[in-house]
Amino acid sequence: MFVAIIFALIIVASIIFHFWSPWWWTPVASNWGNIDDTIILTFWVTGAVFVAVCLFMAYCVWAYRYRPDRKAEYKPEDKKLEFRLTWLTALGVVALLAPGLVVWNKYITVPENALKIEVVAYQWGWNYRLPGDDGVLGKTSVGLINDDNPFGLDINDPNSKDDILVMDADLHLEINQPVKVELRSLDVLHNFYVPQFRAKMDTLPGIITYYWFTPEKKGEYEILCAEYCGTGHYAMRGFVQVDEKKDYSDWLAKQISFEKMLAKKELKNLLIAEK
Amino acid sequence: MTSDKKQEVHTHKIGVYLWIWGLLFVFSFFSYMVDYINYQGLLRWSLIIFFMFVKAGLIMAIFMHLYWERWAIVNVLLWPMTAIGVFIAIMAAESYYTFFSRMFYFVVGS
Amino acid sequence: MSQFDIEKLPKGSKGFMYDWGSDQRAFKGVPWGKAMMWIFLLSDTFIFSCFLISLMTARASTVVPWPYPSEVFGLTVFGTSVPLLLIAIMTFVLITSSGTMAIAVKYGYEKNRKLCGWFLLATAIGGLTFVGMQAFEWSKLIFHDGVRPWGNPFGAEQFGAFFFMVTGFHGTHVSIGVIFLFIFARKVFRGDFDTGRRGYFTSMKSDYEAIEILGLYWHFVDLVWVFIFAFFYLW
Amino acid sequence: MTDEYTDNKLETKAADSSSGSYTPPAEAIPAKENPEQELYHAKSFWTKWVFCQDAKVIGIQYALTATAIGFIGLILSWGMRLQLGFPETFSFLGPATYYQSVTMHGMIMVIYLLTALFLGGFGNYLIPLMVGARDMVFPYVNMVSYWMFLVAVLVLLASFFVPGGPTGAGWTLYPPQAILPGTPGSEMGIVLMLVSLSLFVIGFTMGGLNYVITILQSRTRGMTLMRMPLTIWGIFTATVLALLAFPALFVACIMMTLDNLLGTSFFMPEIFTMGEKLDYAGGSPILFQHLFWFFGHPEVYIVALPAFGIVSDLISVHARKNVFGYRMMVWAIVIIGALSFIVWAHHMYVSGMNPWFGFFFATTTLIIAVPTAIKVYNWVLTLWRGNIHLTIPMLFSLGFIVTFVNGGITGLFLGNVIIDVPLSDTYFVVAHFHMVMGIAPLMVVFGAIYHWYPLITGRHLNQTLGKIHFWVTFVGAYAIYFPMHYLGFIGVPRRYFEMYDSPYMTSGVGLNQFITVAALIVGFTQFIFLYNIFTSWYKGEKSEKNPWKANSLEWHTPDYPPTHGNFGKELPVVYRWPYDFSVPGTDKEYIPQHVAPSEVPTAKAEQT
Ligand code: HEA
Ligand code: HEA
Ligand code: CUA
Ligand SMILES: [Cu+2]
């Protein structure tokens, strides 16, 4: 009796916790509301099964508790019942999986009009590169990195000249403009994760990974590194600021392009040399 | 260590082994010739694989006596290879993906 | 069925169902040691498969050209360069030793002590030759061609790394096999399997079945070489 | 284990068509196929208790070693929890030490505690007894297996004392960071970890071959595969998985060791770190992840399947009812095992692998839910219309069902690739795997210890302490991990040394403190359990033979507790499955496996 009640109570407490505790996700700020929807769907389906199985178990514990005069049933198999349960579960799996795969397909299909920007991860911080007017990012190589060329851009690639380098952990994005983030790492694995956007992907050295999203809500969101990358992993933060078009342009105007940066550096070097 | 004598009499005429031995030589020679003649492309690929499997099959079936074993053990030894097969297929797809990604972003440039 | 007789059991797929549904043994007529060796080899196959799959991955995804093994491993004999000559000879040596092993196993079962012992020795010597040639190949590659695990003059870095790792791992298998071949050759000549002399470590008796088990191992090493030959050298 | 799957499918088909299949005769005793096993007889204290070749002693050695190292894992988790809950108050852990604790905690718990305990400990003790063998087929190799394991454990422990400390790369040991200076323990620690794992694999292979061959080739007369207790099925399938999965780990370890020591570039691409460019070029970190998870996913089932098997037996015995749907249970185990080799990349959905894999791996992953669900249904249906004794093993089994279903269901979230995107690498994952792996199988371990302790020592564990142990562990652990999922929903990433300065993460502070307190209480209770184990060894209530009235062979040895050689002069002959409880038509409440049908002529037991 006591045991059955406690098990039932635990289930009830779980439900209460789920619905009434203050801990829940932050409101979504990107187009990936569908991800939340699939999660909710999964919650309903699996939650129902969880509650049903556990309550049934508690019921059995209570109803069939030991009594010396009782004899347990002897029934090795019930083909029909097992068959039904199997198909029911298979149905549940399909119900969960099908919508999930549809959304995943969307997740890996980047729309044509997405703005391609590059996120550069390193131990332990974030930098960004925007394509400039030509809309194309220049080639890079880890081998080219030096003090004058912190991103390792290929100077000979004409596309790289007007690339805009953001040497700062703050990134600005324009609201409702789809972006494809191309993720690059200089050293180890990292992961570009903004909880409010619901999207993430590892950055790897030696290869470019990507995902896309459309910021749909103004505000400032924290970037977290979500792949363990060494002692400073937990401190590898940054911010994304989602702006209206105008604020975004203002910010963009203040950024410096690769060409300009090289020129400035050269000037400085010249000055040092003259001294 | 224990032994059960009575069923252990599958000894074969020595000729069987000599035959297989000879065949292995021949096929090794063939696969060597693929390189020597310098076939390329799909032809090379399929010939190499073909000779490889023939040789492997002969060694397993005759030298390792698998041909004379009962199905119970033969199946146990061969089915797990499907897992390896899946692994190979996935990793082949993965490496082409990696290759094109590297070419696209680092060699050719987007 | 009072007396157990393997010849009377169903065969083929029927036998398969019979064996798995039966009691005592799933592998009818397979002694414990042999079953154990087979399962071990299965596990070992996964090890080599993982090595070779990694090789495939590295090779298919490299943007630096992969060295052309046919040239790297070519030898110059009398002024003409023959591709893969040494490897070809090594392959033949290993196959030869596999043949002698198969015959040693056969004589083992016929309890022909002399012949079994001699063929074991022949196998061991074949194995030694193989390892020796491999040592030669390694030293040529290291000292003459400048191939290192961390780089080589021909192209992709992984070439040397995989070469030394895969052939090294295989070579270790061969060497272990050679050691056991010598040990068992001695046991056979001394007649341990006929007199029931106990093993030094295990203090258990053993018999000619041990030769077959060793044979399985040796053929497996040969088998692996077939794949290495195809995937590393010929590819 | 693809092979087993087909095997059983074919076999039952054959049973229906009656041609070619084998049904052991009801009464006749089959001929002996296995020769009498010669046992090694110890001559000195050393060979009797230390370098012992008796599987039972080896099992206990394994179990004690695993428990000892498990407690180190537990204490490490305390340190982590204190840091996470009260970073200001307990600031003795720096980030480096924290990461080292996490890594060692994860690795110890998964490999050196659970794998070793289930397969090395329970496997060694129970396999020969339950299948009716005198010992493992190669006791000598079995003995070496344990000593190899011990060396692996010692190497692991040694890494705590080397310069730089143990590795802090996370238990997944992902390169490149695992061997680069930005990670704690990248000097000696990582090498010792890799060496220890390799030794573990080698040692385990020796033991594993023994378990597999003993089960396949050394069963007693009448013991068909379909009459084996599910415990054995679980351990057997898990061992096969291990034999096929550990090679990938082994290879990954070798390659990483070479990357580290020789400077090869298997997993290392061009890297610019700490202001300089390293000499590596062209390797692929993803390759390591594939190798690791090709091992890693089967590994999680290696610790789950024995638990599945054991819990079925516990439920059946203590509910006095046959396991419902035994055949389905066996297949489910085998199918889960087979499928576990083609789902590995569900750990890599956001790793940057080929995105199309998402479809394939999400589908295979969710398919596993079906056989697993069948198992869950059959456990509760075994309780249905049973006659349930609420003994401590039964309580733990019930706790297992709740935590396992909970954890399995969160697995469905993660397996559905798109849902994994926001949740991956957050505390949701941590909650998932502690629920399904940290708690559920441990519940079974505890239940199994209460169940078999009398067999091993001839005494019962203290029941009151046992009840306390169960309730605190079960309710406490549930209280730790159920709320933890919600940290994941908020977006708190895992492996964060501290997380208090983020705007929305601060909302989790109270929750974290609660979790820490619960973890301390639960952890402390384990010491009560330890105390119980040691004091009951000589003070516990004496148990009569077969106290739970079980049917399987281990309880029916002539000596109680069983001695070397297990079964006296003659090995038992088996006539039925181990679940003939409450059979109608007879006043016998249970019919042990070795009781011939003629001894219980009126019993209407189904032929198995
Ligand atoms: C014992 C160990 C164990 C077990 C059994 C499982 C079982 C499962 N696991 Fe878990 N898992 C781990 C241990 C385990 N896992 C560990 C250790 C990690 C993290 C490793 C790391 O990164 O450090 C992990 C991580 C992990 C991930 C990666 C998350 C990430 O890193 O992003 C995923 C993703 O697919 C996953 C999925 C699953 C699934 C689908 C199951 C399924 O097998 C579950 C099946 C069970 C059920 C489904 C419940 C019973 C069913 C019913 C009651 C019927 C109802 C069902 C329906 C309606 C369909 N697990
Ligand atoms: C079986 C596996 C297992 C077990 C039992 C546990 C037990 C616990 N774990 Fe852990 N944990 C892991 C496997 C496990 N863990 C893994 C794989 C990781 C990932 C590592 C990584 O990220 O690299 C992890 C990570 C991890 C984290 C995340 C750290 C981070 O990401 O920053 C946390 C945080 O709270 C945590 C806490 C705990 C606590 C409080 C306990 C316990 O205190 C819970 C209570 C204890 C028990 C219920 C009993 C413990 C049992 C024994 C001591 C053995 C006794 C046995 C016998 C007597 C036979 N663990
Ligand atoms: Cu960067 Cu974690
Ligand atoms: Cu998994």
Side-chain angles (χ1 to χ4, degrees):
Chain A
M1 192 71 189
F2 165 73
V3 176
I5 289 176
I6 293 195
F7 275 108
L9 276 181
I10 285 175
I11 306 308
V12 174
S14 306
I15 301 174
I16 293 177
F17 186 94
H18 177 72
F19 283 109
W20 282 289
S21 85
W23 295 291
W24 193 236
W25 56 47
T26 45
V28 61
S30 76
N31 61 320
W32 292 121
N34 326 34
I35 297 187
D36 287 5
D37 300 340
T38 34
I39 296 184
I40 296 289
L41 170 76
T42 312
F43 249 119
W44 281 106
V45 175
T46 59
V49 177
F50 172 65
V51 172
V53 169
C54 293
L55 287 184
F56 180 75
M57 185 191 92
Y59 167 75
C60 290
V61 169
W62 170 73
Y64 304 105
R65 63 193 177 282
Y66 177 73
R67 269 199 250 120
D69 56 334
R70 182 175 13 232
K71 193 163 182 177
E73 185 191 38
Y74 184 80
K75 189 171 188 187
E77 219 141 46
D78 184 340
K79 284 249 162 70
K80 218 156 138 198
L81 180 60
E82 288 175 89
F83 187 77
R84 278 188 194 152
L85 286 173
T86 309
W87 281 109
L88 212 66
T89 315
L91 208 71
V93 166
V94 173
L96 298 179
L97 188 62
L101 292 185
V102 172
V103 184
W104 174 249
N105 192 28
K106 237 163 95 184
Y107 188 77
I108 63 175
T109 319
V110 184
E112 291 285 321
N113 63 341
L115 172 72
K116 290 195 185 107
I117 65 171
E118 186 185 67
V119 173
V120 182
Y122 60 90
Q123 279 170 325
W124 290 277
W126 305 98
N127 283 162
Y128 314 95
R129 181 161 62 114
L130 308 175
D133 293 334
D134 61 359
V136 183
L137 291 163
K139 257 199 317 184
T140 58
S141 162
V142 165
L144 297 173
I145 298 180
N146 56 38
D147 284 351
D148 294 343
N149 187 1
F151 283 59
L153 275 149
D154 185 350
I155 302 178
N156 299 326
D157 185 349
N159 291 330
S160 66
K161 293 243 158 45
D162 64 343
D163 285 5
I164 293 167
L165 310 183
V166 185
M167 306 273 293
D168 184 15
D170 284 1
L171 172 68
H172 286 238
L173 293 175
E174 187 187 334
I175 193 164
N176 291 333
Q177 161 68 47
V179 277
K180 176 191 182 198
V181 280
E182 295 185 351
L183 305 162
R184 186 158 72 95
S185 167
L186 305 185
D187 38 41
V188 301
L189 312 178
H190 302 275
N191 188 314
F192 185 72
Y193 173 47
V194 179
Q196 287 84 348
F197 294 162
R198 302 287 188 267
K200 66 157 75 81
M201 188 61 74
D202 279 7
T203 72
L204 290 111
I207 182 181
I208 302 277
T209 55
Y210 67 90
Y211 64 86
W212 76 276
F213 61 93
T214 313
E216 288 185 344
K217 219 193 241 164
K218 258 177 66 174
E220 195 185 46
Y221 307 106
E222 195 171 14
I223 301 164
L224 305 167
C225 177
E227 178 65 75
Y228 177 65
C229 54
T231 321
H233 168 56
Y234 68 98
M236 188 167 160
R237 315 271 178 87
F239 281 96
V240 186
Q241 178 91 38
V242 180
D243 291 334
E244 295 291 352
K245 196 173 176 71
K246 189 177 160 309
D247 297 340
Y248 178 72
S249 315
D250 288 351
W251 174 79
L252 198 61
K254 273 187 261 166
Q255 303 307 316
I256 183 174
S257 75
F258 182 50
E259 216 170 11
K260 282 211 192 102
M261 197 186 85
L262 283 179
K264 227 171 151 184
K265 284 252 166 72
E266 244 155 59
L267 201 70
K268 217 161 100 196
N269 288 351
L270 271 178
L271 286 177
I272 294 168
E274 260 166 40
K275 259 185 211 162
Chain B
M1 209 179 267
T2 43
S3 62
D4 3 13
K5 304 267 153 19
K6 46 190 171 316
Q7 59 264 46
E8 290 312 330
V9 267
H10 40 229
T11 139
H12 309 104
K13 289 222 183 65
I14 193 159
V16 181
Y17 298 114
L18 294 178
W19 246 106
I20 300 304
W21 198 356
L23 280 177
L24 283 176
F25 272 121
V26 172
F27 283 116
S28 295
F29 182 71
F30 282 167
S31 48
Y32 177 68
M33 284 321 273
V34 173
D35 189 67
Y36 194 83
I37 300 173
N38 210 350
Y39 285 135
Q40 291 300 342
L42 192 65
L43 183 64
R44 178 190 188 89
W45 200 82
S46 36
L47 281 178
I48 292 174
I49 295 281
F50 174 74
F51 290 131
M52 181 185 84
F53 275 119
V54 170
K55 275 164 43 177
L58 286 178
I59 294 176
M60 293 238 286
I62 312 295
F63 279 1
M64 298 173 93
H65 293 174
L66 210 53
Y67 177 76
W68 293 281
E69 297 292 354
R70 295 175 64 76
W71 277 34
I73 189 163
V74 177
N75 276 274
V76 164
L77 295 176
L78 296 183
W79 276 106
M81 292 305 132
T82 47
I84 292 292
V86 174
F87 201 5
I88 292 175
I90 293 284
M91 288 316 288
E94 181 76 313
S95 36
Y96 284 120
Y97 176 73
T98 314
F99 176 72
F100 284 117
S101 168
R102 284 173 172 174
M103 282 307 268
F104 185 70
Y105 288 107
F106 295 121
V107 180
V108 181
S110 51
Chain C
M1 203 173 54
S2 58
Q3 192 59 48
F4 175 74
D5 183 358
I6 191 166
E7 295 306 323
K8 290 210 187 102
L9 298 182
K11 294 234 157 51
S13 59
K14 273 187 185 165
F16 173 83
M17 288 178 270
Y18 175 90
D19 289 2
W20 279 94
S22 74
D23 63 347
Q24 302 181 68
R25 286 185 170 202
F27 306 148
K28 298 287 175 203
V30 181
W32 291 348
K34 192 167 140 191
M36 192 139 140
M37 179 52 85
W38 266 119
I39 304 293
F40 167 72
L41 293 182
L42 181 62
S43 187
D44 214 13
T45 308
F46 271 58
I47 292 191
F48 278 107
S49 303
C50 289
F51 275 130
L52 291 175
I53 289 172
S54 306
L55 167 67
M56 174 191 80
T57 310
R59 189 151 178 188
S61 61
T62 177
V63 284
V64 187
W66 191 265
Y68 193 49
S70 188
E71 278 159 24
V72 177
F73 299 106
L75 275 189
T76 314
V77 191
F78 306 123
T80 49
S81 89
V82 190
L84 291 184
L85 182 60
L86 184 65
I87 313 303
I89 300 174
M90 282 165 76
T91 306
F92 287 117
V93 169
L94 204 59
I95 289 177
T96 309
S97 77
S98 217
T100 50
M101 186 75 226
I103 296 170
V105 172
K106 171 189 152 66
Y107 285 125
Y109 272 120
E110 289 168 7
K111 301 211 183 308
N112 188 333
R113 229 171 76 191
K114 273 266 160 51
L115 278 174
C116 177
W118 281 115
F119 273 101
L120 281 180
L121 268 188
T123 312
I125 286 164
L128 266 186
T129 318
F130 180 86
V131 178
M133 293 205 290
Q134 195 160 51
F136 172 75
E137 190 196 2
W138 275 44
S139 52
K140 174 173 171 294
L141 237 50
I142 295 173
F143 300 115
H144 183 260
D145 298 336
V147 178
R148 300 282 184 279
W150 51 89
N152 63 73
F154 307 113
E157 286 206 9
Q158 282 77 13
F159 175 77
F162 272 107
F163 172 75
F164 290 119
M165 182 174 69
V166 173
T167 58
F169 203 72
H170 177 261
T172 312
H173 274 72
V174 178
S175 310
I176 293 173
V178 167
I179 294 172
F180 275 94
L181 280 167
F182 278 123
I183 293 175
F184 277 81
R186 174 157 177 263
K187 278 179 184 256
V188 167
F189 279 128
R190 195 167 59 187
D192 284 10
F193 299 141
D194 303 308
T195 57
R197 183 175 163 139
R198 287 171 183 275
Y200 178 75
F201 285 107
T202 57
S203 70
M204 290 292 156
K205 288 182 205 165
S206 112
D207 67 19
Y208 282 104
E209 189 184 294
I211 303 296
E212 188 185 4
I213 296 169
L214 185 60
L216 285 180
Y217 178 83
W218 192 257
H219 297 310
F220 174 74
V221 169
D222 191 15
L223 186 70
V224 170
W225 184 254
V226 170
F227 286 86
I228 295 178
F229 183 59
F231 289 134
F232 198 92
Y233 294 99
L234 294 181
W235 207 247
Chain D
M1 248 257 319
T2 350
D3 42 300
E4 232 49 51
Y5 169 38
T6 20
D7 294 346
N8 287 297
K9 205 161 90 182
L10 286 173
E11 195 200 314
T12 13
K13 239 196 246 149
D16 298 334
S17 69
S18 83
S19 70
S21 88
Y22 172 86
T23 333
E27 193 68 62
I29 300 171
K32 240 188 183 163
E33 286 175 52
N34 281 310
E36 193 54 40
Q37 185 174 5
E38 189 192 357
L39 290 177
Y40 177 82
H41 290 290
K43 291 177 204 76
S44 69
F45 171 81
W46 283 99
T47 42
K48 186 146 188 210
W49 294 112
V50 183
F51 295 101
C52 182
Q53 300 193 13
D54 182 354
K56 292 190 292 301
V57 178
I58 296 175
I60 293 169
Q61 288 173 329
Y62 253 115
L64 290 179
T65 315
T67 308
I69 189 98
F71 271 90
I72 293 176
L74 173 67
I75 288 170
L76 288 172
S77 84
W78 279 355
M80 286 147 56
R81 272 327 310 178
L82 286 176
Q83 164 61 32
L84 292 174
F86 308 96
E88 266 88 49
T89 329
F90 301 93
S91 49
F92 53 89
L93 284 185
T97 334
Y98 176 82
Y99 288 127
Q100 290 168 327
S101 307
V102 173
T103 305
M104 295 317 255
H105 163 79
M107 196 64 97
I108 286 176
M109 289 296 198
V110 180
I111 310 273
Y112 300 86
L113 169 68
L114 276 188
T115 308
L117 187 58
F118 270 130
L119 302 180
F122 286 104
N124 264 311
Y125 199 93
L126 294 176
I127 289 171
L129 277 167
M130 281 186 153
V131 302
R134 297 212 178 276
D135 203 334
M136 290 289 179
V137 285
F138 291 100
Y140 184 81
V141 181
N142 203 21
M143 183 258 297
V144 178
S145 157
Y146 168 72
W147 290 98
M148 215 55 171
F149 169 63
L150 188 67
V151 174
V153 168
L154 292 178
V155 172
L156 185 79
L157 289 178
S159 79
F160 280 94
F161 304 102
V162 294
T167 177
W171 86 284
T172 46
L173 301 178
Y174 281 179
Q177 50 263 53
I179 60 177
L180 291 185
T183 306
S186 58
E187 297 94 349
M188 282 298 289
I190 181 71
V191 177
L192 288 184
M193 172 57 87
L194 295 170
V195 169
S196 172
L197 283 174
S198 305
L199 289 172
F200 180 89
V201 172
I202 296 170
F204 177 81
T205 305
M206 298 183 188
L209 290 171
N210 257 307
Y211 316 152
V212 170
I213 303 304
T214 306
I215 292 169
L216 287 181
Q217 297 293 83
S218 179
R219 280 165 284 141
T220 186
R221 281 175 290 170
M223 181 63 87
T224 61
L225 288 173
M226 282 299 174
R227 281 176 182 168
M228 289 198 307
L230 284 169
T231 302
I232 298 299
W233 266 108
I235 293 175
F236 171 67
T237 315
T239 310
V240 175
L241 291 191
L243 287 175
L244 302 185
F246 279 135
L249 175 69
F250 187 69
V251 168
C253 283
I254 289 184
M255 286 166 67
M256 190 142 73
T257 313
L258 293 177
D259 274 4
N260 193 4
L261 298 180
L262 280 187
T264 56
S265 302
F266 293 119
F267 304 135
M268 308 294 279
E270 261 190 324
I271 285 170
F272 183 88
T273 183
M274 311 279 159
E276 61 174 325
K277 190 183 159 295
L278 305 181
D279 282 338
Y280 296 112
S284 161
I286 294 249
L287 172 61
F288 177 87
Q289 301 185 18
H290 278 293
L291 286 172
F292 183 87
W293 290 115
F294 188 80
F295 143 79
H297 186 81
E299 167 63 26
V300 307
Y301 286 101
I302 291 167
V303 306
L305 292 179
F308 291 176
I310 292 174
V311 83
S312 312
D313 282 0
L314 296 189
I315 292 179
S316 164
V317 170
H318 295 271
R320 313 309 301 155
K321 190 176 166 228
N322 59 69
V323 166
F324 182 81
Y326 173 84
R327 272 172 182 279
M328 290 286 254
M329 293 294 248
V330 172
W331 287 12
I333 288 182
V334 169
I335 294 173
I336 292 171
L339 284 176
S340 74
F341 278 102
I342 54 168
V343 302
W344 75 89
H346 68 210
H347 296 269
M348 300 169 60
Y349 288 146
V350 295
S351 70
M353 64 174 180
N354 185 340
W356 292 96
F357 291 175
F359 296 104
F360 176 74
F361 285 102
T363 310
T364 51
T365 300
L366 287 216
I367 289 176
I368 289 203
V370 178
T372 320
I374 293 174
K375 298 199 70 78
V376 171
Y377 301 144
N378 285 359
W379 289 322
V380 288
L381 286 171
T382 305
L383 293 172
W384 167 251
R385 298 192 176 153
N387 197 6
I388 302 168
H389 291 264
L390 284 173
T391 53
I392 293 174
M394 181 52 118
L395 289 175
F396 274 110
S397 307
L398 298 174
F400 165 82
I401 295 179
V402 173
T403 48
F404 179 74
V405 174
N406 192 299
I409 274 170
T410 53
L412 294 180
F413 284 68
L414 297 171
N416 207 344
V417 46
I418 192 65
I419 304 183
D420 185 64
V421 170
L423 295 179
S424 178
D425 280 307
T426 66
Y427 265 82
F428 189 88
V429 177
V430 177
H432 156 68
F433 68 69
H434 278 92
M435 199 65 114
V436 80
M437 174 173 76
I439 298 310
L442 265 178
M443 288 275 145
V444 178
V445 167
F446 293 138
I449 291 177
Y450 285 92
H451 183 80
W452 279 300
Y453 191 84
L455 178 71
I456 298 169
T457 62
R459 290 171 191 274
H460 281 287
L461 284 163
N462 182 308
Q463 300 293 297
T464 322
L465 290 182
K467 286 233 161 86
I468 296 173
H469 179 213
F470 168 71
W471 285 112
V472 178
T473 308
F474 170 62
V475 179
Y478 195 81
I480 299 176
Y481 296 114
F482 187 79
M484 201 186 263
H485 292 97
Y486 294 83
L487 283 178
F489 280 124
I490 299 175
V492 181
R494 63 192 282 206
R495 296 166 172 169
Y496 262 33
F497 166 66
E498 49 109 31
M499 42 186 133
Y500 279 11
D501 58 350
S502 269
Y504 47 87
M505 278 197 263
T506 43
S507 66
V509 171
L511 198 52
N512 259 319
Q513 292 173 338
F514 170 78
I515 289 174
T516 299
V517 173
L520 292 178
I521 297 173
V522 171
F524 176 73
T525 316
Q526 309 315 314
F527 286 90
I528 299 183
F529 176 57
L530 198 64
Y531 168 84
N532 195 353
I533 287 192
F534 283 118
T535 50
S536 300
W537 203 292
Y538 48 95
K539 282 216 304 259
E541 176 201 345
K542 280 236 160 165
S543 108
E544 82 272 28
K545 188 171 169 177
N546 195 6
W548 315 113
K549 304 189 173 26
N551 289 337
S552 44
L553 293 177
E554 83 271 24
W555 297 102
H556 299 277
T557 55
D559 305 299
Y560 180 78
T563 48
H564 191 39
N566 292 348
F567 289 104
K569 263 213 161 56
E570 263 301 307
L571 286 173
V573 180
V574 166
Y575 298 95
R576 58 186 73 246
W577 68 342
Y579 303 109
D580 271 339
F581 297 109
S582 314
V583 175
T586 167
D587 52 350
K588 284 223 169 93
E589 203 254 349
Y590 65 105
I591 311 175
Q593 280 191 282
H594 60 275
V595 173
S598 56
E599 292 174 59
V600 279
T602 54
K604 294 196 187 65
E606 280 186 31
Q607 166 135 35
T608 47

